[in-house]
Amino acid sequence: MNYGYFDDRHREYVITNPRTPVKWINYIGNLGFGGFVDHTGGALICKGDPTFNRITKYLQQAPASEFKGESLYLRIHGRDGYRVFSPFFVPTLDPYDLYECHVGLGYTRIVSESYGLRTEVTIFVPSGEAVEIRDIRVSNLTGEAVEVDVVPVVEYTHPNALMQFTNADWVPQTMVSKAEPDGEYTVMVQYPFMNRDSRVNYFTSNLPASSYETDRRRFLGANEYGTWAKPLGLFAERLSGADSLRGDVLSVLLHPLGKLEPGATRRLVTQLGQEASLEAARPGIRKYRDPVAVDSALDELKAYWERYLSILQVQTPDPAMNSILNIHNPHQCYITKNWSRYLSYYQLGMGSRGIGMRDGNQDVLAVLPAIPQEGREFIRRLLSFQKANGSAMHSYNPLSLEGSLGDSTEMEDRPHYYSDDHLWLVLSVCAYIKETGETAFLDEKVPFYDRDKQGQPLEEGTVREHLARALAFTRKDIGRHGLPLLGFADWNDTVNLPSGAESLFSAHLYGRALKEIIGLAEFLGDAAAASEYRAAYVEMQARVEDAAWDGEWYVMYFDQDGNPVGSSKNEKGKLHLNGQSWAVLSGFASPERATRAMDSVEMHLNTRYGIKVSTPGFNGYDRTYGGITTYPPGAKENGGIFLHPNPWAVIAETLLGNGDRAYQYYAQINPAGKNDLIDIYECEPYVYAQNILGDEHPNFGLARNSWLSGTSSWCYQAGTQWILGVRPDYGGLRIDPCIPSGWDGFTVTRRFRGQVYNIVVHNPERVSKGVIRMVVDGKEVSGNLIAPGGVANEHRVEIWLGK
Ligand code: NOJ
C-alpha cells in the first residue's frame, strides 16, 4: 500500500492519505531559525538551538492524532451553530474530500477540501530570515455564500526544552503571552519573563482579528476537559482577549473572513518569529504582511534549490535512482549537514547531543559540490573541536559552542573518547580540497579545543597540523596487536568493550585517511610527508593482515583480553559488515581476502531489505559489550539493517569491480523503491531512514529514525561518485563508473570548479567497469581524469566503457 506519490516535475513528494503509519516530516529554514513541519501541519520550531532556544511545544511521543506545536482551525457559521474543523486533518480528524501534503524543497504545502471549503497552506521560512510563514488560502467550492473564520494556533514551550518537561512549577509561573495592538492588526508576543528584555517570540497576521487567546485552559475550555479536537473556546463568538502571565501559553488569532461568495478565495498570511524585541521585529512584520513579499520569498527559495540541484543531475535507466539522486537525496544531505543528529521526529533535540564530530564530517562530504564555502566553514568549526593531542570532542552545542564527550562519560569504567571521531576530519578536509582545488586551506590556522581558565584556546595550528595530529594520535593509541584502541566506541556507538579493546573499524578508517593524505601529499609534491604516511600505512596494513583474518572474513574487534569479537569462534555477533567493507575501503585487504570477505557479507548478512550490520544478534543484556546488547536481536546495531554502513558495502563492491552487486545493494535500500511497501516500512519514502529491523526480528522490514542519518551522505556519494563514478580528485574530475552490466549507459551533468561537464557514458559491451575511451570537447583524452579549466565553461564529455 502507498500513501502518496513522487511528483518529480515539481520536485515534490505528495502524501494523499494523512493516516501515515508514523508522522512524515519536512524541514523548513535551518538551525539558525527553523525546524520541521509534520504532514498534518504540526511544527517544531527553534532559533539557533533546539535545546536552549525552542519556540513551539511539539511532543514527538504524543499520539499522531494530537495537536503538536501549531495548527489551523476553520469555523463555518451554520444555521445550527458553528462547524469547527482543521483543514490539516489533525487534531479534529474530520472527513475530507481531498487531502494532499506536498513535501517540497524547503516548504510544505497542505491542500485539503472539506465541507465545501478548499484550503491551501504553504509553510516555509524565507531564506536567511527568522520567521515561519504560513500562507493560507481558503476558497468556497459550494454554490452558496459561506461565512467562515480562520483561526491559526501556536503553543509555546519554555526555550529550555528539557526544563519544559522536567519542571511544572517554575516554568508555568514564568511564561508570558499577550497581545499588542498594531493598527488594525494584532501582534501576539510571548516570552518567559526573564527574557522580556532580550528575546521575544511574536505571532501575527495580515488580516484584522476579532479576538485572541493566550491560554490553553481557556481555549480548550472546561478546565481543559475540552480537547484539541473540539476546543470549546471556538464555540463562543469571540475568544477571551485576555493576556496571560502564567500557564501553558498560546497565540490564537480569530479572523472573521465574513461571507465568502461561491468560487471566492481569501488569503491570510501568518508569521511566527523571534527577535530581540518587538521593535526589532516590526520591519519584518511589515514586510511579510505584503503577499507580494511572501510570493517573492517563496520564489527565491525555489531558485535556491534550482541552483543547488543543478550542480549534479543524472539520467540513468533506473527512475527511482534518478528521483532520489536528482531531488530528495541531495535535499536530505543538506538537512543532515544542517541538523546533524539533533532534531527530527526521532532525535528530540534536548540535552548535549548537538552537532556530532563524526556525523558532521561525514555529512559535509555530500554537500561540498553544491555549497563548498559553507562546507569549508563547517569543517573549520569541526576542526576547532579537535583537541591538541589529536583526538576530538564527540559533539558540540551550536549556541554555546561547548564541546561534549557524548555518551562516553556514561560508563565510568570505560575510556572517555571515541577512536574514530578525529580521523573523519582527514576525510572531510581532503574532500574539500578535491572539490575546490583550494590547497591554501591547509595553511589556515584553527584553534584546538583545549582552553585556559578564561575559556581562551591554548593553542592553534594549521589545518595541515590538525590532520597530522589526528593521524599521529591513532598511530600511538594502540593495543596489544598494534591496532587502534577502541576507546569508548568507534563508528558503532554501541560496542563499548572494557578498556584495552582494539577496533578494526578505526584501523581501517585510519588506513583510508592515510590513503587520502598520501594522495594529497603526492599532489602537493611533498615527498617526505608522502613517504612518512606510506610507512604508517604499510605498518598498519601488516598488523591488520597478520591479526584480523578469521578464515572467511575479518574480525571486528579484539576485546580487552585480546580475544576476537566478530569471529566464527563467537556465539553471537560473529560477522560484522564494517569489518569487511572497510577492509576494502582502507585497501588493507588482499584481493583474495577482499573478495572472500564481501562474499561472506552477501551470504550471511544480505536480506531483501538491506544488509544487516552484524549477525547473529545478542540476546540479553551483557555489560561487557555495552549498548549493543540493550536491543533485542535484529534491532538497530544488534543485527539490524543499520543503513549507514550499506553504502560502504556498495562502494566496496565498486572498488572490486562488481557493478551488479553494488547496484543491487544500492537499489534495495533506495527509499523511493519502498513507496508501495509502506505498511511494512512505515517511514517516509522520500528520505533514507537510519535503520530497518532485521530478519531476526518479528517486524522485519520496519524502518525508523528517518532523515538524520549518515546513510544520506554515503548513499549520495555511493550513487554519484562510485556507481556513476563522477568523482572529484585533487587533479580534476575523475570518471570511473561501476554500473550494472545490463545498462547501456547514462548521463550526468556536473558543475565542478566553475565549469559545467555534460557527461555521456556509453556501455556497448555491457561491462560494469573500465573506461576504454574518453573524448572531451571532441578531443581524445587518455585515462579518465578531466583536468580542470578550459576555454569554454561548458564541456561535452563522452566516455566508453569496455574490456
Ligand atoms: C548514530 C550516530 O549518530 C552515529 O554517529 C553512529 O555512527 C551510529 N549511530 C552507529 O552507532
Side-chain angles (χ1 to χ4, degrees), residues 341 353 358-359 491-493 637 642 690:
R341 309 295 171 267
R353 182 139 199 178
R358 165 204 297 149
D359 299 320
W491 171 88
N492 189 333
D493 285 316
E637 286 97 332
F642 210 95
Q690 183 214 54

Side-chain angles (χ1 to χ4, degrees), residues 107 109 122 124 126-127 291-307:
Y107 67 89
R109 175 177 296 123
T122 306
F124 71 104
S127 304
V292 175
V294 173
D295 290 342
S296 69
L298 188 62
D299 288 346
E300 209 182 293
L301 189 66
K302 289 186 175 167
Y304 176 86
W305 278 103
E306 183 73 39
R307 278 194 306 278

Side-chain angles (χ1 to χ4, degrees), residues 561-605:
D561 301 319
N563 302 312
V565 174
S567 153
S568 54
K569 298 181 195 77
N570 302 134
E571 201 197 323
K572 301 290 181 186
K574 285 170 183 287
L575 169 59
H576 290 246
L577 171 58
N578 288 338
Q580 322 319 314
S581 54
W582 274 86
V584 182
L585 265 58
S586 66
F588 284 165
S590 68
E592 303 73 46
R593 286 182 176 181
T595 301
R596 197 115 171 233
M598 292 308 293
D599 285 349
S600 294
V601 166
E602 211 260 344
M603 195 180 311
H604 302 293
L605 295 178

Side-chain angles (χ1 to χ4, degrees), residues 777-798:
D777 296 329
K779 290 202 194 86
E780 297 278 342
V781 175
S782 70
N784 64 356
L785 185 73
I786 310 168
V791 186
N793 76 354
E794 188 150 350
H795 308 273
R796 180 171 169 87
V797 180
E798 277 198 88

Side-chain angles (χ1 to χ4, degrees), residues 340-341 347 353 356 358-359 362 394 420-421 424 490-495 636-637 642 644-645 648 690 705 708-710:
S340 199
R341 309 295 171 267
Q347 310 288 356
R353 182 139 199 178
R358 165 204 297 149
D359 299 320
Q362 293 175 76
H394 192 57
D420 65 321
D421 274 336
W424 295 104
D490 56 26
W491 171 88
N492 189 333
D493 285 316
T494 67
V495 176
K636 297 264 286 189
E637 286 97 332
F642 210 95
H644 184 159
W648 291 333
Q690 183 214 54
N705 204 348
L708 302 185
S709 164

Side-chain angles (χ1 to χ4, degrees), residues 23 38 40-43 57-71 73 88-93 155 216 227-229 345:
K23 289 273 183 194
D38 71 37
T40 56
K57 189 194 281 177
Y58 189 104
L59 276 166
Q60 281 92 333
Q61 294 105 323
S65 55
E66 283 187 12
F67 174 94
K68 296 184 182 192
E70 290 186 68
S71 196
Y73 292 90
F88 294 160
F89 183 62
V90 170
T92 60
L93 312 184
E155 184 177 19
R216 196 175 71 186
T227 65
W228 286 110
Y345 198 67

Side-chain angles (χ1 to χ4, degrees), residues 207-438:
L207 289 181
S210 69
S211 54
Y212 67 86
E213 184 53 88
T214 58
D215 177 71
R216 196 175 71 186
R217 285 162 61 95
R218 284 192 299 261
F219 185 64
L220 299 185
N223 287 338
E224 286 204 321
Y225 293 94
T227 65
W228 286 110
K230 194 178 178 197
L232 301 180
L234 285 179
F235 289 83
E237 187 194 341
R238 295 166 66 85
L239 297 169
S240 79
D243 295 344
S244 295
L245 262 171
R246 65 165 314 283
D248 290 296
V249 293
L250 313 173
S251 285
V252 186
L253 287 171
L254 195 156
H255 305 88
L257 297 187
K259 284 234 190 268
L260 210 55
E261 295 302 323
T265 298
R266 290 294 298 275
R267 187 173 176 188
L268 167 77
V269 177
T270 65
Q271 305 178 37
L272 171 66
Q274 186 186 91
E275 288 296 340
S277 63
L278 178 54
E279 285 322 303
R282 285 197 196 278
I285 289 177
R286 268 196 297 277
K287 177 174 171 187
Y288 289 112
R289 284 225 177 99
D290 179 357
V292 175
V294 173
D295 290 342
S296 69
L298 188 62
D299 288 346
E300 209 182 293
L301 189 66
K302 289 186 175 167
Y304 176 86
W305 278 103
E306 183 73 39
R307 278 194 306 278
Y308 192 104
L309 298 181
S310 73
I311 297 296
L312 207 168
Q313 287 289 294
V314 311
Q315 269 314 314
T316 76
D318 175 358
M321 185 173 192
N322 299 340
S323 178
I324 207 84
L325 282 183
N326 289 336
I327 304 167
H328 304 281
N329 193 185
H331 180 225
Q332 186 183 0
C333 291
Y334 175 86
I335 299 300
T336 54
K337 185 261 165 189
N338 223 288
W339 294 94
S340 199
R341 309 295 171 267
Y342 206 8
L343 184 71
S344 74
Y345 198 67
Y346 306 91
Q347 310 288 356
L348 301 189
M350 298 184 199
S352 68
R353 182 139 199 178
I355 308 297
M357 172 63 72
R358 165 204 297 149
D359 299 320
N361 276 297
Q362 293 175 76
D363 296 339
V364 77
L365 299 175
V367 303
L368 288 171
I371 45 170
Q373 291 316 311
E374 221 176 282
R376 165 198 238 264
E377 287 320 302
F378 185 54
I379 296 169
R380 276 187 67 95
R381 171 66 42 91
L382 292 168
L383 283 161
S384 72
F385 288 91
Q386 184 185 13
K387 296 198 271 181
N389 73 1
S391 72
M393 302 304 286
H394 192 57
S395 62
Y396 68 88
N397 180 282
L399 208 56
S400 68
L401 296 184
E402 278 304 311
S404 153
L405 293 169
D407 290 344
S408 71
T409 50
E410 276 178 17
M411 286 172 96
E412 267 309 305
D413 57 341
R414 300 294 199 267
H416 293 171
Y417 70 99
Y418 292 74
S419 54
D420 65 321
D421 274 336
H422 51 287
L423 292 169
W424 295 104
L425 287 164
V426 182
L427 268 57
S428 63
V429 170
C430 290
Y432 173 75
I433 293 171
K434 284 179 177 173
E435 182 64 41
T436 61
E438 277 179 38

Side-chain angles (χ1 to χ4, degrees), residues 534-545:
R534 242 180 262 122
Y537 182 88
V538 171
E539 171 187 77
M540 188 56 74
Q541 180 176 33
R543 292 173 189 163
V544 169
E545 286 294 81

